[in-house]
Amino acid sequence: MPALCPWPYPLWIAHRGAGKLAPENTLAAFDCGLAHGYRMAECDVTLSRDGVAYLLHDERLERTTNGRGIALEQTWALLAQLDAGAWQGERFAREPLATLAALAAFAQARGLALNLEIKPGSGDDVRCGRFAAAETLRLWAGQAPLPLLSSFSHTALAAARDAAPQLPRAHLFERLARGWLADALALGCVAIVVNHRALDSAAIAQAHAAGLRVLAYTVNDAAVAERLISTGIDGLITDAVNRLGPGAAKPGSG
């Protein structure tokens, strides 16, 4: 039976920074997560039309910025001018979209570990996977721990593996359909990241027996967290940074 890989990451991971308390995927959100005691965050990495790696979840700009249209069609010069914070309140107004380079500088200065989800625009899986991995390797050269790269896109993860094989990878799954284990192992993944509703003790044991760590998303209920911890889960991604994990013990976090 393969041994589990070394695991330098904490159990609790803040989703999109602290994306329910501050504008998701911005430096303000990561700062908020740190203030609640979190030492690892998950976020979404995509590419501008001209190849700048930056943080955004959606394919379109409207929900989280004052921009309009398909993000992949925009140059970084345009994206850099957008307000990515005002939708979360006036105190976050003029918070910019964050480049991966800006996040790297912030995270390394503050001791923040990261799970970088590769989030390609439509049809951009290969370019996004390749560029995001190469940029991550460059930005975190000589640093530890290296970010954990993840994606729902098998194609993007394959491109990331080919560009930077030394970076740890995780396959994201909404559900564990037939072939999930083979897919993760074929990509040389060290972990899987799965919707918590699709996880039980048998699936976690199967992954562990194959040498894979297991993370669950998005765990916002204490009872669900306790159940998963009891089954040996390796990571819990949560929006509830003020109620669960390190944040539960912070004064005024409720």
Side-chain angles (χ1 to χ4, degrees):
M1 184 172 69
L4 283 170
C5 66
W7 195 245
Y9 308 110
L11 174 67
W12 287 96
I13 304 164
H15 189 220
R16 303 182 196 171
K20 295 297 184 183
L21 302 179
E24 64 182 57
N25 286 319
T26 68
L27 296 187
F30 299 110
D31 188 60
C32 183
L34 282 164
H36 284 85
Y38 277 70
R39 289 294 173 265
M40 185 169 181
E42 180 269 358
C43 61
D44 304 287
V45 180
T46 193
L47 288 185
S48 66
R49 189 179 79 194
D50 50 343
V52 175
Y54 73 103
L55 311 187
L56 188 75
H57 177 272
D58 297 2
E59 289 217 3
R60 298 187 63 88
L61 295 166
E62 286 87 347
R63 182 176 67 87
T64 58
T65 79
N66 63 341
R68 297 185 62 81
I70 297 171
L72 180 57
E73 295 177 354
Q74 317 304 320
T75 65
W76 178 249
L78 183 146
L79 293 164
Q81 298 176 40
L82 298 180
D83 185 330
W87 66 283
Q88 278 264 25
E90 178 59 31
R91 69 191 182 105
F92 295 115
R94 294 170 293 282
E95 182 74 23
L97 289 167
T99 62
L100 184 58
L103 174 60
F106 176 94
Q108 290 166 27
R110 302 286 296 276
L112 181 67
L114 291 167
N115 168 201
L116 304 177
E117 179 183 344
I118 301 170
K119 201 82 171 181
S122 181
D124 201 35
D125 299 58
V126 172
R127 186 184 75 124
C128 190
R130 183 175 68 246
F131 275 59
E135 183 74 342
T136 299
L137 188 62
R138 182 184 73 83
L139 291 167
W140 271 269
Q143 301 292 317
L146 292 169
L148 175 68
L149 300 184
S150 64
S151 189
F152 286 102
S153 169
H154 190 97
T155 302
L157 274 180
R161 173 200 60 199
D162 294 345
Q166 55 272 71
L167 292 177
R169 293 174 301 282
H171 207 312
L172 270 156
F173 295 104
E174 177 67 26
R175 59 189 181 89
L176 294 176
R178 179 177 296 179
W180 65 267
L181 183 57
D183 283 347
L185 293 176
L187 288 168
C189 290
V190 300
I192 56 172
V193 186
V194 186
N195 186 326
H196 73 85
R197 295 178 180 86
L199 277 175
D200 57 22
S201 57
I204 294 171
Q206 186 179 5
H208 281 171
L212 295 172
R213 301 284 183 164
V214 185
L215 289 73
Y217 75 90
T218 304
V219 180
N220 296 330
D221 181 85
V224 173
E226 290 171 8
R227 174 181 67 82
L228 290 168
I229 290 169
S230 73
T231 60
I233 200 81
D234 299 289
L236 295 166
I237 299 171
T238 183
D239 291 316
V241 299
N242 57 334
R243 295 188 292 105
L244 299 179
K250 292 285 180 180
S253 291

